[in-house]
């Protein structure tokens, strides 16, 4: 049968996708031998019927007896085994003593279970806990609960490294982070399709690179009626599949249900009654169990997948084989060979795909050649050093149904990667999506992105000036500026090779720095003073430092009673991101101190202190790094990751210094129509063509456009249109915060040190006034260009 294993956000068995389609079984009253299950005859009858319904998984809440294990194997069923032990519910008080007793009881339960279950291919996963109530988590401390659960996961892996381990969570304690668990499991009971779809999309982001498994869902048939139960399960299971979850276990198989050996009646969650009479819900679940992702739609749109390759001999076969393995019905694959000098072209022609032999001209030219040859409604780009999941095209197509112009999915490292490649995957600067919400992005990386072909052609495709990087960011920002939206499909997964040498990684980061410098020309409003991209969205995940000190911010509601309690801010990762962003400043500061050392050797302390701080930062990252339990060389991995965190920002800075900004974008200026939204769009385009940095106001801000044309001043433009033919506007000027800070420093120095410090402040007033006049002139010129037709 083969063991079920993780495949990024999905599960697989013997190389094929495996989706959990199961039911929960229990809890039951104790039988004579102490197991909380029915007698053997009833177990056999139940499991045979479960398998006959097409289901493949059974979830139990306690350790199953040998007869259930044997029967499950005979029926070809997988088991998710829950453990029951003396946990937080049984402790009358909180404290270290309680934590020690719970940990000891949990370890004993794990040891007992693994004596029976280790090595069994029919056991899909061990659940080391289930729904610890939120008030008890708050009482004992979230950190303490997380430590115990993480320790029990490690105990499972120590007994059987191949066994999947998980904790079954629910929305009220969504914030719990269990280190090392292989699956993200949640019990979810929501009674509206839109609410469930939204929450599943959120959980896909929260789960990171783990498969998301819904371990309980359903509806009480005795409360709502059996017909309503069946219809509810129909749409719940559809939403689970469309969200790209790893599957679900429906609650529950039977209405026979007991808690503490006392029967529970009046709910009727079962697919069969207590006496095993089938309900209409069983038919619905059986149909779902035998369906595939391709059955979600009667027809699928055409997709052209474009693979651009330049000297990709080591990886091109794996990439194209993954595309050949998908069964998407309307898939066209085009390989664009960008003048390779190795065997890339020869290997590509072994596959039944269209191959374009091009002269070497860079990545963007190759992508445009593929776009021109594509015949699909959508065009998807897959890097030649990546491999797609068999269901990848389906989830891209589903994402486009949300009306977006662009979409993409996650890219995860290969499991068999070498040490340096694994370290690079855990270091900053990798190809990662930037999300503004669980289903919307500001950018999706070029190794896994797809477009509506008409929209990509409308903006002229990719800019050939970007020969190796930056082209994907450029097109994403152009489409956002045109009012389009970018989607994110969490299940549209590809595996992607990272650089496998330190030299290659640092060279890549220098290239990314040059691309950032190029992007700062046409997209000035999206960059800060350090030349770094100013993202509106969030880089989920990432490195963290001192997690015990920088604890996450949790939305808990009044007295911790909110039904959904997510993490609203991850302070440890935010601190690491801030240091990474500002670490490049250490290099020029240290270099400036060197010539000053000629006057006093004490200045040498500046670069020495900065060096020590950089080493401390790298060490903090290395210590806080969550190392996978299967890692063979954890110390070496930590050391390499810590060193790369220090080197990456400097390499990227050097690339930005060496790069040059590209020219401003060529934007059409729409004619005046009297519509204020259209006027703002055309006004923004006109200001960009004037060389200004322009950003649109966020909701709640009392102005429309933020305009910067120099280093000192900011202009806020507020607009109105009277009777659709007469534009009105107001311009408010502000001094930039850095200028205000320098002015405050100057005033303090004047008062405390010498009045001579007042002279630079007075002299700085003249350029500030000149800049304001310069900004005003450009704004008025842009307004005249966009409203000229309106004047009678």
């Amino acid at each position: 049968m083969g063991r079920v294993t993780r495949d990024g956000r999905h599960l697989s068995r013997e190389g094929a996708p495996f989706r959990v389609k199961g039911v929960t079984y229990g809890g039951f009253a104790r039988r004579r031998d102490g197991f909380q299950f029915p007698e053997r005859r009833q177990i056999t009858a139940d499991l045979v019927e479960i398998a006959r319904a097409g289901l493949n998984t059974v979830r139990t809440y306690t350790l199953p007896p040998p007869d259930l294990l044997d029967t499950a194997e005979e029926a070809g069923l997988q088991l998710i085994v829950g453990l029951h032990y003396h946990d937080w519910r049984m402790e009358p008080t909180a404290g270290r003593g309680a934590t020690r007793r719970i940990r000891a009881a949990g370890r004993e339960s794990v040891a007992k279970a693994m004596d029976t279950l280790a090595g069994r291919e029919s056991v899909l996963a061990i659940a080391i806990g289930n729904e610890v109530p939120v008030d008890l988590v708050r009482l004992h401390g979230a950190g303490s609960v997380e430590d115990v659960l993480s320790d029990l996961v490690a105990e499972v892996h120590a007994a059987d490294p191949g066994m999947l381990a998980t904790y079954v969570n629910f929305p009220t304690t969504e914030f719990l982070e269990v280190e090392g668990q292989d699956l993200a499991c949640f019990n979810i009971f929501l009674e509206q399709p839109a609410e469930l779809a939204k929450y599943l999309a959120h959980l896909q982001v929260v789960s990171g690179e783990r498969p998301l498994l819904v371990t309980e869902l359903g509806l009480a048939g005795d409360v709502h009626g059996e017909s309503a139960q069946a219809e509810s399960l129909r749409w719940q299971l559809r939403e689970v599949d469309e969200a790209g979850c790893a599957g679900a276990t429906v609650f529950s198989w039977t209405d026979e249900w007991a808690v503490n050996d006392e029967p529970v009646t009046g709910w009727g969650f079962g697919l069969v009654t207590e006496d095993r009479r089938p309900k209409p819900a069983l038919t619905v679940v059986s149909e779902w169990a035998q369906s595939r992702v391709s059955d979600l739609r009667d027809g699928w749109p055409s997709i052209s997948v474009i693979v651009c390759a330049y000297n990709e001999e080591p990886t091109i076969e794996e990439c194209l084989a993954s595309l050949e393995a998908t069964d998407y019905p309307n898939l066209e694959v085009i390989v664009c060979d960008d003048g390779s000098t190795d065997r890339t072209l020869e290997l590509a022609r072994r596959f039944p795909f269209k191959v374009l032999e091009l002269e070497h001209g860079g990545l963007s030219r190759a992508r445009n050649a593929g776009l021109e040859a594509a015949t699909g409604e959508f065009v998807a780009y897959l890097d030649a050093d990546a491999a797609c999941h068999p269901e990848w095209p389906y989830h891209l197509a589903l994402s486009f149904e949300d009306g977006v112009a662009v979409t993409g999915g996650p890219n995860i490292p290969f499991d068999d990667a070498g040490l340096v490649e694994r370290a690079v995957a855990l270091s900053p600067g990798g190809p990662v999506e930037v999300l503004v919400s669980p289903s919307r992005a500001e950018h999706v990386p070029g190794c896994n992105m797809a477009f509506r072909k008409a929209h990509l052609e409308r903006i002229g495709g990719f800019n050939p000036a970007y020969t190796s990087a930056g082209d994907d960011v450029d097109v994403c920002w152009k489409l956002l500026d045109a009012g389009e939206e970018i989607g994110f499909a969490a299940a549209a997964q590809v595996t992607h090779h990272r650089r496998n040498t330190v030299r290659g990684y640092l060279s890549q980061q220098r290239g990314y720095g040059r691309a950032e410098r190029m992007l700062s020309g046409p997209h000035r409003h999206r960059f800060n003073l350090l030349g770094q991209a100013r993202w509106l969205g969030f880089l989920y995940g990432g490195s963290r430092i001192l997690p015990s000190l920088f604890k996450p911010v949790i939305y808990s509601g009044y007295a911790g009673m909110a039904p959904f309690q997510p993490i609203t801010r991850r302070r440890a990762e935010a601190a690491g991101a801030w240091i990474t962003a500002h670490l490049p400043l250490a290099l020029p500061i240290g270099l400036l101190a060197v010539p000053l050392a000629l006057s006093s050797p004490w200045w040498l302390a500046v670069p020495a202190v900065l060096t020590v701080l950089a080493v401390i930062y790298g060490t903090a990252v290395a210590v806080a790094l969550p190392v996978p339990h299967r890692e063979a060389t954890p110390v070496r991995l930590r050391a390499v990751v810590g060193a790369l965190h220090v080197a990456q920002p400097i390499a990227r800075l050097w690339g930005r210094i060496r790069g040059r900004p590209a020219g401003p974008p060529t934007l059409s200026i729409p004619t005046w129509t009297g519509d204020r939204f259209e006027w703002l769009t055309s006004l923004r385009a006109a200001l960009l063509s004037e060389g200004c940095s322009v950003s649109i106001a966020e909701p709640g801000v009392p102005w429309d456009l933020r305009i910067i044309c120099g280093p000192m001043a900011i202009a806020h433009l507020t607009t109105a249109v009277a009777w659709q033919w007469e534009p009105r506007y107001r311009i408010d000027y502000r001094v930039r915060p850095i200028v205000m800070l320098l002015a405050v420093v100057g005033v303090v120095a004047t008062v405390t040190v010498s009045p001579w410090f007042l002279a630079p402040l007075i002299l700085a007033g003249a350029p500030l006034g000149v800049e304001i006049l310069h900004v005003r002139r450009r704004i008025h010129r842009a307004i005249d260009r966009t409203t000229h037709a309106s004047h009678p």
Side-chain angles (χ1 to χ4, degrees):
M1 180 167 58
R3 174 170 264 182
V4 175
T5 59
R6 274 184 59 182
D7 180 13
R9 292 173 181 255
H10 300 272
L11 295 172
S12 68
R13 184 169 64 185
E14 296 183 333
F18 180 89
R19 197 169 300 281
V20 172
K21 306 233 174 166
V23 290
T24 66
Y25 194 62
F28 299 99
R30 295 179 190 275
R31 64 188 195 183
R32 286 168 294 182
D33 60 4
F35 286 101
Q36 295 175 272
F37 289 91
E39 297 298 332
R40 177 167 188 157
R41 180 178 298 177
Q42 186 62 65
I43 287 176
T44 301
D46 286 340
L47 267 58
V48 167
E49 289 302 314
I50 290 172
R52 185 175 295 166
L55 297 163
N56 59 23
T57 305
V58 173
R59 178 194 172 196
T60 71
Y61 294 88
T62 58
L63 183 65
D67 50 2
L68 190 151
L69 293 171
D70 295 338
T71 305
E73 287 186 354
E74 292 171 4
L77 294 171
Q78 294 284 309
L79 294 174
I80 299 175
V81 177
L83 303 183
H84 182 72
Y85 50 90
H86 176 96
D87 68 4
W88 296 269
R89 300 170 181 85
M90 290 79 166
E91 281 293 332
T93 59
R96 294 182 179 179
T99 300
R100 284 196 299 268
R101 289 188 292 272
I102 295 168
R103 190 190 306 270
R107 286 178 171 176
E108 183 180 352
S109 180
V110 169
K112 181 180 178 181
M114 297 311 291
D115 284 343
T116 305
L117 305 178
R120 280 186 177 262
E121 293 183 349
S122 60
V123 179
L124 189 152
I126 304 292
I128 48 86
N130 179 71
E131 288 190 3
V132 179
V134 65
D135 50 349
L136 291 178
V137 172
R138 294 176 74 240
L139 179 67
H140 289 265
S144 174
V145 175
E146 288 172 343
D147 288 344
V148 171
L149 294 175
S150 300
D151 182 60
L152 297 183
V153 166
E155 291 288 315
V156 172
H157 289 151
D160 182 354
M163 180 70 74
L164 301 181
T166 185
Y167 165 70
V168 179
N169 211 337
F170 67 141
T172 314
T173 55
E174 177 196 312
F175 56 84
L176 287 177
E177 296 185 318
V178 182
E179 294 287 353
Q181 66 174 337
D182 302 291
L183 308 172
C185 295
F186 279 84
N187 300 333
I188 309 171
F189 291 91
L190 292 172
E191 298 184 4
Q192 296 297 326
E195 291 179 357
L196 180 59
K198 183 178 179 180
Y199 191 59
L200 289 175
H202 166 72
L203 288 182
Q204 282 281 31
V205 175
V206 171
S207 302
E209 295 181 359
R210 299 185 183 99
L212 173 61
L213 184 62
V214 180
T215 38
E216 283 182 12
L217 54 75
L219 192 73
D222 289 356
V223 177
H224 300 276
E226 292 185 358
S227 296
Q229 179 194 23
E231 183 56 33
S232 178
L233 278 171
R234 188 183 303 279
W235 65 254
Q236 286 186 61
L237 295 170
R238 182 184 67 244
E239 294 295 346
V240 165
D241 287 346
E242 290 188 1
C245 298
T249 53
V250 177
F251 184 81
S252 62
W253 171 248
T254 173
D255 286 345
E256 181 186 352
W257 184 26
V259 175
N260 292 329
D261 296 330
E262 294 295 326
V264 177
T265 59
W267 284 21
F269 276 95
L271 302 180
V272 299
T273 61
E274 191 171 348
D275 60 1
R276 288 2 184 222
R277 173 185 63 82
K279 299 181 185 179
L282 178 58
T283 301
V284 170
V285 173
S286 180
E287 292 173 355
W288 164 71
Q290 299 173 60
S291 67
R292 300 186 304 166
V293 66
S294 58
D295 298 323
L296 288 172
R297 299 291 183 270
D298 294 332
W300 293 91
S302 57
I303 298 178
S304 297
V305 179
I306 299 170
V307 179
C308 300
Y310 176 67
N311 290 343
E312 297 288 355
E313 180 181 342
T315 59
I316 188 67
E317 287 185 293
E318 187 175 26
C319 172
L320 299 182
S322 71
L323 288 166
E324 193 175 31
T326 183
D327 64 352
Y328 191 85
N330 298 310
L331 196 72
E332 174 188 50
V333 178
I334 302 171
V335 181
C336 300
D337 181 75
D338 187 29
S340 296
T341 57
D342 60 3
R343 296 175 61 239
T344 299
L345 188 62
E346 173 191 340
L347 297 175
R349 284 176 171 157
R350 296 179 182 178
F351 292 85
F353 303 140
K354 183 186 298 184
V355 178
L356 303 181
E357 186 176 357
L358 309 172
E359 293 184 1
H360 184 53
L363 180 59
S364 293
R365 291 184 184 276
R367 283 177 169 166
N368 286 336
L371 174 65
E372 185 178 354
T375 61
E377 179 183 355
F378 304 110
V379 289
Y381 289 89
L382 179 68
D383 275 7
D385 59 350
C388 69
H389 187 270
E391 296 172 356
W392 175 64
Y394 291 103
H395 292 293
L396 290 178
L398 289 171
S399 181
F400 276 116
E401 292 182 359
D402 208 14
V404 298
V406 192
T407 194
N411 65 101
I412 62 175
F414 281 86
D415 288 336
D416 58 352
L419 173 65
V420 174
E421 188 172 339
R422 298 197 304 276
V424 168
L426 296 168
S427 300
V432 63
E433 61 276 1
V434 182
L435 301 183
V436 294
S437 75
S439 60
R440 288 294 182 271
E442 188 178 0
H443 165 250
V444 287
C447 59
N448 181 10
M449 63 180 178
F451 301 84
R452 294 183 187 273
K453 185 184 178 188
H455 286 66
L456 185 56
E457 290 175 332
R458 192 175 302 155
I459 63 170
F462 296 88
N463 188 342
Y466 300 96
T467 57
S468 60
D471 55 337
D472 52 345
V473 180
D474 181 58
V475 294
C476 284
W477 283 348
K478 283 180 179 177
L479 287 167
L480 287 175
D481 290 343
E484 303 295 343
E485 290 187 306
I486 302 174
F488 179 69
Q493 165 191 301
V494 304
T495 45
H496 184 215
H497 282 290
R498 272 55 171 179
R499 295 294 186 269
N500 56 12
T501 65
V502 172
R503 181 177 181 180
Y505 169 68
L506 296 180
S507 176
Q508 178 195 51
Q509 295 307 307
R510 288 195 299 271
Y512 285 170
R514 286 193 295 270
E516 280 183 323
R517 182 64 171 152
M518 291 180 65
L519 287 164
S520 67
H523 305 283
R524 287 184 59 186
H525 59 293
R526 296 186 182 273
F527 285 82
N528 61 22
L529 291 175
L530 297 178
Q532 298 166 321
R534 187 170 54 203
W535 298 104
L536 298 177
F538 300 94
L539 293 165
Y540 284 83
S543 302
R544 57 182 186 170
I545 58 171
L546 303 177
S548 60
L549 177 62
F550 295 103
K551 294 183 179 180
V553 179
I554 301 167
Y555 171 75
S556 58
Y558 177 72
M561 292 187 290
F564 296 83
Q565 299 196 11
I567 292 175
T568 61
R569 185 183 178 194
R570 300 177 184 272
R571 289 171 170 166
E573 294 171 4
W578 188 90
I579 294 175
T580 300
H582 293 84
L583 189 61
L585 293 176
L587 185 61
I589 293 174
L591 292 176
L592 287 174
V594 173
L596 294 175
L598 297 175
S599 59
S600 172
W602 287 105
W603 283 105
L604 292 177
V606 174
V609 169
L610 292 175
T611 301
V612 171
L613 291 176
V615 172
I616 292 174
Y617 167 62
T619 303
V621 169
V623 171
L625 182 71
V627 177
H629 71 276
R630 294 186 181 182
E631 175 58 45
T633 56
V635 175
R636 291 179 62 193
L637 180 68
R638 291 179 187 275
V640 176
V641 171
L644 293 182
H645 270 74
V646 175
Q648 185 269 346
I650 298 173
R652 200 130 176 177
L653 171 65
W654 182 245
R656 286 197 295 269
I657 294 173
R658 296 290 300 274
R660 294 183 178 180
T666 303
L667 299 172
S668 61
I669 309 299
T671 58
W672 171 265
T673 64
D675 182 271
R676 194 167 72 91
F677 178 79
E678 292 183 2
W679 180 39
L680 283 173
T681 303
S682 59
L683 186 57
R684 181 177 177 276
L687 287 166
L688 288 173
S689 67
E690 292 279 349
C692 296
S693 170
V694 186
S695 56
I696 301 173
E698 298 178 357
V701 176
W703 42 265
D704 301 324
L705 298 178
R706 180 176 185 265
I707 305 159
I708 299 176
C709 299
M712 304 179 73
I714 300 172
H716 290 162
L717 181 67
T718 307
T719 62
V721 174
W723 302 105
Q724 293 192 344
W725 67 69
E726 186 177 351
R728 308 283 175 83
Y729 58 90
R730 185 182 77 247
I731 307 173
D732 298 311
Y733 299 97
R734 301 286 187 274
V735 178
R736 299 184 75 168
I738 185 66
V739 178
M740 290 294 296
L741 177 63
L742 292 175
V744 170
V745 172
V747 170
V748 172
T750 301
V751 174
T752 60
V753 180
S754 169
W756 288 105
F757 281 95
L758 188 61
L761 294 178
I762 297 174
L763 293 175
L768 175 61
V770 171
E771 182 178 321
I772 290 176
L773 291 174
H774 180 62
V775 173
R776 182 180 180 84
R777 186 165 54 250
R778 291 192 179 192
I779 292 175
H780 282 296
R781 190 159 55 223
I783 291 174
D784 287 342
R785 289 174 61 190
T786 55
T787 60
H788 180 72
S790 71
H791 298 298

